[in-house]
Amino acid sequence: MKKGIKYIVLAALIVLTGYNSIYIRKLSDVQNASGAQRFDAAAYARHFLHTTLPAHADRAIDLAQLTHSLATDPAKAWSASHALNDGNNRYFLVKGQGRITRVDSEYAYLDIQDKPVLLATRYIIGTAARDASGLISVDDFTTTMDMNTVSEELNKLIRKEVLPSFTTAAKPGENVSFIGALELQQNKTPPDTLEITPLNLIIQ
Amino acid sequence: MKPLTFAILTSLLLTGCGRHDQQHPKKIAIIVSTLNNPWFVFLAQTAAKKATDLGYSSRIFDSQNNTDLESDHFDNAIASGYDAILFNPTDAQGSVTNVKKAKDAGIPVFCMDREINSKDAATSQILSDSYSACIDLGKLFVSTLHKKGSYVELLGIVSDNNTWNRSNGFHSVVDNYPQLKMVARQAADFDRNKAMEVMESILQAHPDIDGVFCGNDAMAMGAWQALTAAGKAGHVKVIGFDGADDAIRSIKEGKLTATAMQFPKRIAELAAGDADEYFKGRRDFAKKLPIPVEVVSAHNIDNYTAYGKKE
């Protein structure tokens, strides 16, 4: 009888010790509890597009002035560009006003001081929207993946929130004022037709 | 102790220290993810050469894509009194602990090419801007396939940020074209043989593809081998990433469509140079320094050689 009690106590001890020794938790729960919060690229992009950029709208260079400067004083013109690396692809935050001459499924065609300018209305691709202002630094992010996701989220926001009202209303003959991002390659002569990624569009 | 004796002893001690420094230059450990890929061999050897040119001794450690082995290398480097580590990580998250271990031991770590998921563990991280390059590769892919067709993607090591920066950059362009359909996507761990096997298997299920996007050149060469064996190499457009020797030759011969040229010489020399400046007292390093990557295709192949531009 005594032996039986001994075994029961021993078994209870083993079960109790074992139960308190092993914890099974979902990996996702552990990650969430570790304090390492996931970066919310969508929220960052939204704040950047709707709050940060408008607060720094004075950084935008007049497009007509930039094209003139690229032709007459390239060093000065390029010094106003930004990029996250020191490669040939450089980005400018630009502003301007122009008359819409044509609209198709991919662009609104503007005429600015007799120079053709395309406002992209369908394919919002690349890092121009993220990099043109020079306000975003790689050191702001824990990983480059976070920073790159911001670029994708910004492009999505432009497609969803900047373009729909514009493409519905844009018609030839109307005047539009814009703030946008321009990508140029420093090792090449700027193209005759400049393509702008829109960040803010107002039909006047 | 008499003042004269003290002065003589002190001067002898200081002279001894000086000789010791000259005879035993600072040591730099170069820990790389794998030496089974010529690109990383080039990166490691360039870093070692630069370290030697700067007057330091160095040793290359091969982690064989194994975080545990990498951890052993860090322990070894710390115990052996290395003064800096030039580091190419095996795992963006898993390698953070190793870098922190070195930091706690007072050893600066300079990451090369691959990133770790930490802003402050490494002294600096010199990284290829893979994402931007893959946007350009994506644009080239779209125009080469005339905006339509079926394609396959071969991913690198899924725990490496470069894998996803490349894939995401490519998809940020290609996914805008609904007539371009990805029929298969598999990891081949940046490995040529694995890529060949994976591609052979994918071709059984999807024999009529038009393109393959690979996260590095080794996988692109493996995919090309599988496509050649299946008699499809002429039709299918294959794109890689790295600017490795065989990929550059392959583009010249009209086989691979394109690659993206990383500049391992620049990355390795910058990292070794940073270590040199650290020893001399500099502390204000950029936490992350993206290095531009350039698209190489038949159009501009004459400007490039393996691992860089023609000089």
Side-chain angles (χ1 to χ4, degrees):
Chain A
M1 187 62 190
K2 271 186 183 173
K3 230 177 186 180
I5 293 169
K6 212 164 123 186
Y7 283 134
I8 289 167
V9 170
L10 199 66
L13 268 173
I14 289 169
V15 168
L16 204 68
T17 314
Y19 180 77
N20 284 306
S21 303
I22 302 164
Y23 296 89
I24 298 171
R25 293 166 68 190
K26 278 186 179 177
L27 182 61
S28 55
D29 292 345
V30 176
Q31 283 172 325
N32 291 338
S34 72
Q37 292 194 337
R38 284 198 64 78
F39 173 67
D40 187 347
Y44 184 103
R46 180 172 292 281
H47 185 263
F48 179 76
L49 185 66
H50 295 309
T51 309
T52 312
L53 263 182
H56 294 84
D58 57 344
R59 283 184 166 229
I61 314 156
D62 184 77
L63 185 62
Q65 204 178 316
L66 176 65
T67 50
H68 176 74
S69 181
L70 281 165
T72 57
D73 189 355
K76 187 185 167 198
W78 287 109
S79 71
S81 68
H82 299 100
L84 292 181
N85 63 49
D86 61 355
N88 285 316
N89 290 9
R90 307 286 306 173
Y91 305 91
F92 296 88
L93 187 68
V94 293
K95 64 182 176 189
Q97 288 183 345
R99 192 173 53 84
I100 300 174
T101 57
R102 189 157 69 91
V103 175
D104 67 17
S105 63
E106 293 187 24
Y107 299 105
Y109 298 74
L110 301 189
D111 192 22
I112 298 179
Q113 296 187 357
D114 297 329
K115 271 210 159 256
V117 172
L118 307 183
L119 285 178
T121 55
R122 183 172 180 185
Y123 298 114
I124 306 298
I125 286 168
T127 61
R130 182 194 69 189
D131 297 341
S133 65
L135 292 166
I136 292 180
S137 158
V138 63
D139 283 344
D140 298 342
F141 303 91
T142 303
T143 74
T144 49
M145 283 171 65
D146 289 346
M147 179 183 73
N148 294 330
T149 311
V150 165
S151 178
E152 284 163 31
E153 292 296 334
L154 264 176
N155 291 348
K156 268 189 218 166
L157 273 179
I158 293 165
R159 280 192 288 264
K160 275 187 194 163
E161 296 181 10
V162 176
L163 292 176
S165 57
F166 174 76
T167 48
T168 311
K171 289 184 181 62
E174 290 189 289
N175 282 309
V176 59
S177 71
F178 63 86
I179 292 178
L182 170 67
E183 176 182 350
L184 292 176
Q185 289 180 297
Q186 203 164 4
N187 60 340
K188 290 181 181 167
T189 310
D192 291 334
T193 304
L194 300 175
E195 181 178 332
I196 309 288
T197 300
L199 297 166
N200 184 280
L201 294 167
I202 298 168
I203 294 179
Q204 294 167 323
Chain B
M1 192 184 288
K2 286 179 179 175
L4 184 64
T5 318
F6 179 76
I8 291 168
L9 278 174
T10 308
S11 72
L12 276 173
L13 196 68
L14 288 173
T15 314
C17 283
R19 278 192 192 143
H20 179 80
D21 280 346
Q22 280 169 5
Q23 283 166 0
H24 301 285
K26 284 191 184 295
K27 298 193 296 181
I28 297 179
I30 300 161
I31 302 175
V32 289
S33 58
T34 175
L35 292 178
N36 195 26
N37 177 330
W39 195 91
F40 293 110
V41 174
F42 184 84
L43 182 82
Q45 288 178 343
T46 307
K49 184 181 178 307
K50 184 68 179 178
T52 306
D53 291 347
L54 289 165
Y56 306 114
S57 73
S58 67
R59 185 181 155 195
I60 297 171
F61 297 83
D62 177 7
S63 303
Q64 297 174 24
N65 281 329
N66 179 333
T67 316
D68 291 337
L69 186 55
E70 179 184 279
S71 179
D72 292 345
H73 290 329
F74 268 79
D75 290 339
N76 192 355
I78 293 165
S80 308
Y82 278 86
D83 300 285
I85 296 172
L86 310 187
F87 179 43
N88 171 250
T90 55
D91 185 304
Q93 189 60 40
S95 297
V96 174
T97 318
N98 292 331
V99 177
K100 281 187 173 162
K101 200 158 52 178
K103 189 185 179 187
D104 291 345
I107 302 171
V109 178
F110 303 89
C111 291
M112 301 186 289
D113 177 50
R114 286 185 181 174
E115 182 179 32
I116 56 163
N117 292 347
S118 168
K119 267 203 284 194
D120 51 13
T123 302
S124 81
Q125 301 192 48
I126 302 160
L127 313 166
S128 285
D129 192 350
S130 296
Y131 182 83
S132 299
C134 285
I135 288 172
D136 292 338
L137 281 177
K139 288 176 184 171
L140 180 78
F141 191 77
V142 168
S143 65
T144 306
L145 263 59
H146 305 292
K147 301 181 184 176
K148 61 180 179 186
S150 305
Y151 73 94
V152 168
E153 180 182 8
L154 298 186
L155 294 164
I157 296 169
V158 292
S159 59
D160 172 37
N161 288 5
N162 274 348
T163 294
W164 296 110
N165 277 333
R166 291 172 194 179
S167 178
N168 293 343
F170 176 78
H171 283 285
S172 75
V173 177
V174 176
D175 292 358
N176 288 283
Y177 298 87
Q179 289 190 69
L180 278 169
K181 294 194 191 309
M182 183 168 70
V183 293
R185 181 199 226 187
Q186 280 191 43
D189 299 346
F190 293 132
D191 184 88
R192 182 174 181 147
N193 291 333
K194 214 173 261 183
M196 191 174 73
E197 287 165 19
V198 168
M199 196 68 226
E200 281 169 352
S201 145
I202 290 173
L203 282 170
Q204 302 286 322
H206 305 283
D208 298 319
I209 57 166
D210 304 291
V212 185
F213 174 68
C214 304
N216 79 344
D217 284 342
M219 294 194 294
M221 295 309 294
W224 178 265
Q225 262 178 284
L227 288 161
T228 305
K232 294 178 185 299
H235 166 71
V236 182
K237 308 297 177 196
V238 181
I239 285 182
F241 193 105
D242 274 348
D245 188 25
D246 46 5
I248 294 296
R249 269 188 280 118
S250 184
I251 292 170
K252 263 186 197 158
E253 291 163 5
K255 295 175 181 172
L256 289 195
T257 300
T259 184
M261 178 62 73
Q262 300 193 80
F263 294 97
K265 185 168 186 278
R266 186 177 175 203
I267 293 171
E269 289 183 347
L270 272 172
D274 279 357
D276 176 49
E277 288 181 25
Y278 185 92
F279 295 150
K280 290 171 179 165
R282 184 181 161 196
R283 293 294 183 269
D284 59 335
F285 295 95
K287 285 295 169 192
K288 301 205 177 183
L289 181 67
I291 301 295
V293 181
E294 297 175 9
V295 169
V296 182
S297 65
H299 177 67
N300 63 358
I301 186 74
D302 291 339
N303 300 333
Y304 295 89
T305 182
Y307 310 117
K309 269 190 168 159
K310 280 183 183 166
E311 289 175 3

